[in-house]
Amino acid sequence: MAKSIRAKSRRRARAVKREQLQTKVLKQLTETVSKTEGIVPAPRKLKKMKDGDVKIEDFAGEEAMEATSMSTINLKTMKLADGTYPKWLNQKKIRKLKLAAKGQRSGLGRKANLRKRR
């Protein structure tokens, strides 16, 4: 594709903006690093179980919150051990998983909605 004048001017403007923001971003990064210097993330290990579940456990003998140390997710259905979906899973993905569990094709998208109306 040819390089247009408009694209070149926008690229130049972004470069200028990047230079102007560089000092601010550097300051924010140094502040963040200085705040997190004493914090060390706890090492964890993942255990795969026979039925496809994944169990997250902490390495250290310290007692952690029960939700993080004993949470299990089935990777096929993406459900937690109690049968609910995790908070970070969006509704579109949940709908897809439910349709897949029924054995239907993914019913998302414009064409699928048109088929349902007829």
Side-chain angles (χ1 to χ4, degrees), residues 50-107:
K50 290 179 183 176
D51 56 349
D53 291 351
V54 175
K55 198 172 193 177
I56 301 171
E57 291 183 353
D58 294 329
F59 273 123
E62 304 168 6
E63 288 192 28
M65 288 180 19
E66 199 164 318
T68 57
S69 63
M70 299 303 287
S71 64
T72 57
I73 298 174
N74 188 337
L75 295 177
K76 188 174 183 182
T77 61
M78 292 300 288
K79 285 187 179 182
L80 296 172
D82 61 350
T84 60
Y85 291 98
K87 284 185 178 181
W88 48 263
L89 196 64
N90 61 18
Q91 293 299 316
K92 188 174 182 179
K93 183 73 174 176
I94 291 173
R95 244 190 343 253
K96 274 187 178 180
L97 290 168
K98 284 182 181 178
L99 287 172
K102 285 182 181 178
Q104 297 176 354
R105 247 186 89 222
S106 176

Side-chain angles (χ1 to χ4, degrees), residues 8-91:
K8 285 182 181 179
S9 63
R10 286 192 176 188
R11 198 176 325 127
R12 254 186 266 122
R14 282 195 303 268
V16 170
K17 188 72 170 178
R18 210 177 301 120
E19 286 178 17
Q20 291 172 352
L21 289 175
Q22 190 173 13
T23 56
K24 183 179 178 182
V25 170
L26 184 63
K27 183 180 174 186
Q28 286 177 341
L29 284 173
T30 53
E31 286 178 12
T32 306
V33 169
S34 66
K35 286 179 185 177
T36 60
E37 259 181 30
I39 300 172
V40 178
R44 294 180 171 185
K45 64 179 179 180
L46 298 174
K47 271 189 179 178
K48 288 194 176 182
M49 301 169 99
K50 290 179 183 176
D51 56 349
D53 291 351
V54 175
K55 198 172 193 177
I56 301 171
E57 291 183 353
D58 294 329
F59 273 123
E62 304 168 6
E63 288 192 28
M65 288 180 19
E66 199 164 318
T68 57
S69 63
M70 299 303 287
S71 64
T72 57
I73 298 174
N74 188 337
L75 295 177
K76 188 174 183 182
T77 61
M78 292 300 288
K79 285 187 179 182
L80 296 172
D82 61 350
T84 60
Y85 291 98
K87 284 185 178 181
W88 48 263
L89 196 64
N90 61 18
Q91 293 299 316

